[in-house]
Structures are given as structure tokens and as C-alpha cells.
Amino acid sequence: MVTRCNNVGVRIYVDAVVNHMCGSGGGSGNGATCGSYFNAGTRDFSAVPYSAWDFNDGKCKTGSGEIENYNDIYQVRDCRLVGLLDLALEKDYVRSKVAEYMNNLIDIGVAGFRIDAAKHMWPGDMQAFLGQLKNLNTRWFSSGTRPFIYQEVIDLGGEAIKASDYFGNGRVTEFKYGAKLGTVLRRWDGEKMAYLKNWGEGWGFMASDRALVFVDNHDNQRGHGAGGASILTFWDARLYKMAVGFMLAHPYGFTRVMSSYRWTRNFQGGTDVNDWIGPPSNGDGSTKAVTINADSTCGNDWVCEHRWRQIRNMVIFRNVVDGQPFSNWWDNGSNQVAFGRGNRGFIVFNNDDGSLNVNLQTGLPAGTYCDVISGQKEGNSCTGTKVSVGSNGIANFQISNQAEDPFIAIHVNAKLSLNVNLQTGLPAGIYFDVISGQKEGDRCTGIQVQVVGDSTANFQISNQAEDPFIAIHVDATL
């Protein structure tokens, strides 16, 4: 799988669970990895191998052996998390086995790791095994490329352990991001999108170059982890697409998009008692195939948010505007907002109770653009809404608050190419474009333009051209 993905430019990041083994009450048998033997009671994991010497049972100071107080950093990092056997990562042997496991994955071709439960490991212990990792496989990566590391640290404030404790090891999950953005888009607690003008560090988040951000993840979409009821998920599709669109358009943080599956929810007392259900399965327990629908979305109860047109196109938007500054902010003081990314992209949201009809400075070159939310550019036409940007960078945007997706996004790679007949005022003849080339003797090194008897000429300019303009004059005729 890793080879196949790498060969088409898809990188794999492993969710590495290295803080602990199975639960202390997990029993014994041959049902561990690849049928290997384990005994949770005696701490025997022969396939690694780990023994009772490799766990923190003697180091944890609580009577239960469990974490009892999250304001005690020693308990959080040395005791069992919900009964899971806590590995003694201060020991060189344990560190070497973790590094061996991760290096094997690097040899296979993975691009990096999400370190699960990083909050429950000492930063120095993590640094010790991360420092033993190889560079990435040069079959797919440049020589000397280091694995990308991001660490799961839930820090909503009010606890002794801080996300900043882990900055030295790589990026860190910013759980406040999805919780706050969900509150804003749900318009709870008096929040408005207008307040997002200083989104990021201005909201008390960690520095952008340290943050791994997301709207939801596998835990909090089920009410686990952090964020609570404000978290937006695929179950709230309209607001969810807006939230992911905002995240991918905004420059803050390193973004991650979720891809999920449906399960039958059963709320009892406000809690989904089916939150444990695994992926779509056949009658024999095997996982169902991911089927692809005609519109490129998924079937068989696979949600595949990454394939939704709006989200897929916003990933493209983010790549197009990469490195461009946050610019041209506008809001109506409530829940209609817009902003640009330099001269490469612009996005507008209407999360208000009324329609939006406004002229805005986009910062983009003049031309006709395809909205990549209602549709996309196909060939040299738009399947959705068109937006005309004038020579002054201003465009009119109209968005109904009843629209299926009440936001519009345009970028320079979704601009229509020019193909038009224009009156030049020049005598008939063949002219050479002095932008793409020049006249050399009796030939053109660039584009030729034919002006016919009524002084009109056809001009075709791709929006992807290195120099998307043409100039002709009377001294440049053949």
C-alpha cells in the first residue's frame, strides 16, 4: 500500500501508538499482532519482546495505578491511561524498540508519524527515540529528508502539561482550533464570524509554525477527546464544509482533513452508546470495500470527506495560495466575511440570516473565475458560479443564506483563459507578439496574431501562461 501510494504522490503518515500496550485486563492468548502471544497480567509481549521490566507499574505513585489527577504531571506521564499498560520510555531498551518499529516503517516508505498520546510521555523520552530515526527513504524522498512528526497533545488550558512542552519534537495538535471554530459557525455564545479577523494566535492558539490543525478527528467526532458539542462533523455537512473551507483558505497552521465512515448512532441520555462501532463490515466481519460513486464520492457507508467536491477543491485552493499573505479582510460586523491570500485566491462566506450582495476588493488579476465551491473549472468553462473580477481587482459576490453551500472561493488556477475577437484599430496583416517573442528577420519567435480587413483579431491567452498578455504594434509586422 505504501509503495502504491508513494508512486502516485500520496504520502502515508502512521498513527504510532508507543506510549502503551494493551489494557491491563486484556488477558492472554495468541491474538496479538500476526497471531503472536501476549499476557497482559504478566506484561509478556513476546513478539517485541517486552516483559514486566519494561513498564511503569513500579514508577506510578497512585493507589490504582491509573491517572487520577491531570494536574499532576507525574501521574499523567507515569501512570496508566484508561487502564493501558504504560511503557517505561526512560529505559534505553524500550526506546530502542520504539525506534526500531518506526525505522522499519520509514524503510517501507512512510513520510512521518502522528504520535498518539504524546501528552502521556515525557518530552525528553520522546526526543530520545525520535533522535534515533532514519532519514526518509530516498526512493521517494530527497536525500536527508527527515520524517514529519506531529504529536497528539490535548491542551485546552487549565492543566499542568502544556502543548509548548513538546515543541522541540515537532508540530503539536491544536485542539482549541476545531472547538472554537465550531462554536463560531454554530453562532453559539454570541460568537460571530466577524471575530475571526485575528484568527490564530490572536485567539490564544499556539504559534502557527507549531500547530497541526483540524476541524474534527476520529475521537471528538464521537464526543471523545476534546471539544465537546461544538465540534462540527460530517453529520453537520453544511456547516462542516464551511469550517473546512475556512481552515484550508486561512494561513494559520498545518492543516489536516478528516475522512470518515458512517455508523448507526444511538443517543441515550445525550450520549451515543454506539460510538465504539468500527468501519462498515460484511456479515462475516470483514471490512466493506470503498465503492466510488459517479460524482467521485464514496458509497458503502464510507463518508470520504476528502472526496467531497467542496473540500477537494479547497485543498487545491490551499496549494495554489501557499505562501501568500492573509489580505483584504472584509466583514459586515456579523456573519458575512471575506478574505484573500495575496494575489492568488479569495473566499467569501455568508453564515448570516440574510442574503449577501457586495462588491469586494479581491486582490486578483482581472478576468472571469470559476467558483470552486458550487462547481469547478472544466476545460475553459465553469460548472458552477462565475465571478468577474474587474481591472481594479473588485468583484461582485451574491450568496443566498439559503444556498446549499453559502460560500464562494476563487483562485488564479480557476480563471478562464481568454479567447476573444477584438477590434485592434490596426491595418490588416500578420503581427508578432512582442511578449512571447520577437521579430527575427522574416519570422516570429513567439505568437503570431492575424489582423483581418476590419481590423479585428482573435486573441487566445491561457491563464496558466508564463506571461498572460499579448502586445502587437505596427513595427512588428511580417
Side-chain angles (χ1 to χ4, degrees), residues 84-95:
L84 298 165
L85 295 174
D86 199 65
L87 284 165
L89 284 162
E90 66 180 12
K91 296 185 176 183
D92 287 340
Y93 174 75
V94 177
R95 293 172 177 176

Side-chain angles (χ1 to χ4, degrees), residues 319-331:
N319 289 331
V320 170
V321 304
D322 184 43
Q324 293 292 307
F326 179 76
S327 58
N328 292 309
W329 174 270
W330 170 87
D331 66 71

Side-chain angles (χ1 to χ4, degrees), residues 74-236:
Y74 297 96
Q75 286 190 32
V76 176
R77 290 170 172 160
D78 294 336
C79 297
R80 294 194 296 264
L81 167 67
V82 294
L84 298 165
L85 295 174
D86 199 65
L87 284 165
L89 284 162
E90 66 180 12
K91 296 185 176 183
D92 287 340
Y93 174 75
V94 177
R95 293 172 177 176
S96 71
K97 299 307 291 185
V98 170
E100 177 185 304
Y101 155 71
M102 297 175 76
N103 278 328
N104 180 55
L105 292 167
I106 288 173
D107 288 341
I108 291 171
V110 305
F113 301 89
R114 171 194 180 267
I115 309 297
D116 180 74
K119 178 179 183 176
H120 300 278
M121 293 178 271
W122 292 92
D125 292 342
M126 292 184 62
Q127 186 177 46
F129 66 72
L130 291 174
Q132 297 179 47
L133 299 188
K134 301 177 180 180
N135 293 333
L136 297 184
N137 191 320
T138 55
R139 180 177 173 186
W140 298 287
F141 303 95
S142 300
S143 178
T145 303
R146 298 296 295 160
F148 180 81
I149 303 296
Y150 67 102
Q151 305 155 91
E152 184 202 19
V153 180
I154 299 176
D155 177 11
L156 299 179
E159 293 182 13
I161 293 175
K162 307 298 181 187
S164 57
D165 298 345
Y166 296 84
F167 286 169
N169 293 329
R171 288 200 180 243
V172 180
T173 51
E174 179 51 277
F175 275 87
K176 293 191 287 289
Y177 191 101
K180 293 292 187 181
L181 190 56
T183 299
V184 171
L185 285 171
R186 291 182 187 277
R187 294 164 32 175
W188 289 355
D189 303 332
E191 295 286 9
K192 302 175 182 179
M193 289 194 78
Y195 300 157
L196 297 174
K197 184 176 182 179
N198 66 338
W199 182 248
E201 292 92 343
W203 279 62
F205 300 164
M206 68 184 74
S208 178
D209 63 354
R210 302 291 189 178
L212 189 291
V213 299
F214 45 92
V215 173
D216 65 328
N217 77 353
H218 62 288
D219 281 326
N220 60 23
Q221 74 170 194
R222 289 165 169 73
H224 305 166
S230 70
I231 295 296
L232 291 167
T233 73
F234 68 87
W235 298 107
D236 319 288

Side-chain angles (χ1 to χ4, degrees), residues 247-416:
M247 176 184 74
L248 292 170
H250 197 278
Y252 177 82
F254 192 98
T255 56
R256 196 212 64 194
V257 173
M258 184 65 179
S259 190
S260 311
Y261 57 82
R262 291 180 184 83
W263 69 96
T264 302
R265 297 190 294 180
N266 180 11
F267 286 96
Q268 296 183 16
T271 300
D272 179 14
V273 297
N274 282 349
D275 62 3
W276 56 271
I277 292 179
S281 301
N282 298 306
D284 62 0
S286 61
T287 300
K288 285 186 178 180
V290 179
T291 56
I292 306 300
N293 300 323
D295 63 356
S296 86
T297 60
C298 296
N300 256 357
D301 282 332
W302 296 98
V303 180
C304 301
E305 296 95 319
H306 68 287
R307 280 182 164 266
W308 293 2
R309 183 192 66 247
Q310 301 85 345
I311 293 175
R312 181 185 70 235
N313 286 346
M314 282 307 301
V315 170
I316 296 171
F317 180 104
R318 187 171 188 84
N319 289 331
V320 170
V321 304
D322 184 43
Q324 293 292 307
F326 179 76
S327 58
N328 292 309
W329 174 270
W330 170 87
D331 66 71
N332 71 339
S334 187
N335 287 290
Q336 295 177 353
V337 304
F339 62 89
R341 294 294 303 278
N343 62 358
R344 303 281 292 171
F346 194 77
I347 193 164
V348 187
F349 295 87
N350 181 14
N351 196 33
D352 232 333
D353 293 328
S355 294
L356 176 149
N357 187 342
V358 63
N359 295 324
L360 297 173
Q361 174 56 247
T362 66
L364 301 183
T368 301
Y369 294 77
C370 299
D371 168 34
V372 298
I373 303 305
S374 60
Q376 57 200 12
K377 179 184 174 186
E378 293 187 0
N380 198 40
S381 62
C382 301
T383 62
T385 301
K386 292 182 180 179
V387 177
S388 179
V389 175
S391 58
N392 58 359
I394 292 176
N396 176 259
F397 294 91
Q398 298 182 31
I399 306 175
S400 168
N401 64 309
Q402 300 299 313
E404 178 184 357
D405 297 306
F407 63 115
I408 289 174
I410 57 177
H411 58 76
V412 293
N413 285 6
K415 181 183 177 185
L416 298 182

Side-chain angles (χ1 to χ4, degrees), residues 408-430:
I408 289 174
I410 57 177
H411 58 76
V412 293
N413 285 6
K415 181 183 177 185
L416 298 182
S417 299
L418 177 73
N419 187 344
V420 64
N421 294 322
L422 297 174
Q423 173 58 243
T424 67
L426 300 179
I430 297 176

